[in-house]
């Protein structure tokens, strides 16, 4: 007999319980980045002491993480104009121009609210049809959030908490880990903060082991969703390729943390950053 029972997915149940849909109105397209207010930015700016700059980006070049033949490609750099093409200029001027062809997740990047959803819907009830070949993302497009991505960033270092240089394969970062890292570091994640979560996974890429980097990654799981919701985290950045623990700890599901955060966090999350 064919089983027509609809499975009860834990990440969907959690999403319904903690959903932010409608919290900022039916037309909202930026989710938890609403927590980044002008007052929050002022308080964040007042924390600057040394003026040092930290580059958290993965190099954006042909040596990116993805192998040939996949559905994502590393950046392809093409020169469209060379100095020799303009050498005949009467006043001796020369110029050069170029272009980049790439998948948008080929290096450091942010996931917007039109990236992952479930049951045919993205954040705030936006139907899947709002993302198409003609308009791209007609709703929940990333440009909506850009001005909100300036706020206090808090780094929680989970490997240091565990006394290792990087977490083990497929280690699931839990709410208990996040709270313990706060206590160890003497910091507390607050409303409107962007959480930078270090797993140490990026070191595999830096060491040239792209296969391991793209493999069974340590990262946050469903257990951390309630913590992110309760703290009113504006956005999350992770130093792995998947943005969550890989493979999924939910049997039969591929990226349940992404799906859960569509409702639970309702904000943007980052792909790999070079923490």
């Amino acid at each position: 007999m064919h089983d027509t029972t609809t499975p009860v997915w834990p990440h969907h149940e959690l999403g319904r319980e903690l959903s932010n849909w409608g919290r900022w109105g039916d037309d909202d397209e930026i989710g938890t980045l609403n927590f980044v207010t002008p007052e929050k930015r002022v308080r964040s700016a007042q924390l600057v002491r040394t003026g040092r700059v930290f580059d958290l980006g993965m190099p954006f070049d042909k040596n990116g993480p993805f192998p040939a033949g996949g559905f994502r490609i590393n950046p392809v750099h093409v020169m469209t104009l060379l100095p020799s093409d303009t050498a005949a200029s009467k006043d001796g001027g020369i110029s050069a121009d170029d272009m980049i062809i790439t998948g948008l997740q080929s290096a450091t990047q942010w996931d917007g609210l039109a990236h992952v959803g479930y049951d045919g819907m993205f954040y705030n009830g936006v139907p899947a049809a709002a993302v198409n070949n003609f308009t791209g993302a007609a709703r929940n497009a990333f440009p909506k959030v850009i001005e909100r991505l300036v706020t206090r960033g808090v780094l929680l270092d989970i490997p240091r908490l565990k006394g290792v240089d990087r977490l083990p394969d497929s280690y699931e970062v839990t709410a208990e880990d996040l709270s313990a890292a706060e206590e160890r570091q003497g910091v507390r994640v607050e409303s409107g903060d962007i959480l930078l979560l270090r797993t140490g996974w990026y070191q595999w890429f830096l060491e040239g082991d792209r296969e391991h980097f793209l493999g069974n990654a340590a990262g946050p799981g469903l257990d951390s969703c309630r913590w992110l919701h309760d703290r009113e985290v504006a956005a999350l950045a992770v130093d792995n390729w998947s943005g969550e623990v890989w493979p999924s700890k939910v049997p039969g599901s591929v990226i349940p943390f992404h799906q859960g955060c569509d409702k639970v966090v309702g904000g943007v999350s980052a792909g790999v950053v070079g923490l």
Side-chain angles (χ1 to χ4, degrees):
M1 180 180 294
H2 180 62
D3 183 8
T4 59
T5 302
T6 301
V8 178
W9 296 106
H11 46 299
H12 294 183
E13 291 290 301
L14 186 64
R16 279 188 285 271
E17 178 189 349
L18 303 179
S19 176
N20 278 323
W21 287 18
R23 183 171 182 173
W24 295 282
D26 293 339
D27 296 328
D28 180 62
E29 298 181 58
I30 67 173
T32 49
L33 286 170
N34 282 286
F35 292 132
V36 182
T37 64
E39 294 76 18
K40 175 68 178 182
R41 285 195 289 268
V42 169
R43 293 195 302 272
S44 301
Q46 291 170 342
L47 296 173
V48 176
R49 294 292 181 269
T50 66
R52 294 174 63 190
V53 176
F54 297 88
D55 184 358
L56 301 183
M58 173 183 277
F60 194 77
D61 57 30
K62 65 181 181 180
N63 299 314
F66 297 108
F71 75 102
R72 288 174 177 161
I73 64 170
N74 296 318
V76 178
H77 182 212
V78 180
M79 295 301 301
T80 58
L81 185 69
L82 297 175
S84 57
D85 296 327
T86 58
S89 172
K90 292 183 179 180
D91 64 355
I94 57 174
S95 60
D97 213 339
D98 53 358
M99 68 178 182
I100 293 287
I101 305 168
T102 188
L104 295 181
Q105 298 205 42
S106 61
T108 305
Q109 52 83 35
W110 288 97
D111 288 347
L113 292 178
H115 177 49
V116 172
Y118 60 87
D119 291 342
M121 296 287 181
F122 293 109
Y123 169 69
N124 224 14
V126 171
V131 180
N132 56 67
N133 288 333
F134 298 100
T135 62
R139 295 283 308 280
N140 292 347
F142 194 81
K144 300 282 187 178
V145 310
I146 291 174
E147 68 177 31
R148 298 296 183 108
L149 288 173
V150 179
T151 186
R152 187 178 81 141
V154 179
L155 170 65
L156 293 184
D157 192 336
I158 309 303
R160 183 166 294 184
L161 171 71
K162 303 294 183 179
V164 296
D165 65 343
R166 71 197 76 179
L167 295 175
D169 291 8
S170 299
Y171 180 89
E172 181 177 5
V173 177
T174 65
E176 183 178 357
D177 289 331
L178 298 175
S179 294
E182 281 185 318
E183 183 176 356
R184 182 190 178 279
Q185 296 172 208
V187 68
R188 181 176 174 82
V189 177
E190 300 172 349
S191 178
D193 288 341
I194 292 178
L195 173 60
L196 308 176
L197 180 61
R198 181 175 181 270
T199 69
W201 207 250
Y202 186 54
Q203 293 181 61
W204 291 113
F205 177 82
L206 294 178
E207 293 168 3
D209 193 343
R210 289 171 173 77
E211 183 176 357
H212 202 147
F213 175 74
L214 291 174
N216 295 338
L222 288 185
D223 181 74
S224 60
C225 285
R226 189 183 303 277
W227 193 96
L228 296 170
H229 179 271
D230 291 346
R231 295 301 183 86
E232 297 184 343
V233 171
L236 172 68
V238 189
D239 64 339
N240 66 12
W241 68 272
S242 54
E244 62 182 278
V245 62
W246 184 271
S248 166
K249 302 297 185 181
V250 179
S253 179
V254 181
I255 48 174
F257 180 81
H258 275 70
Q259 293 180 49
C261 280
D262 169 59
K263 283 195 174 184
V264 175
V265 179
V268 297
S269 60
V272 63
V273 293
L275 299 176

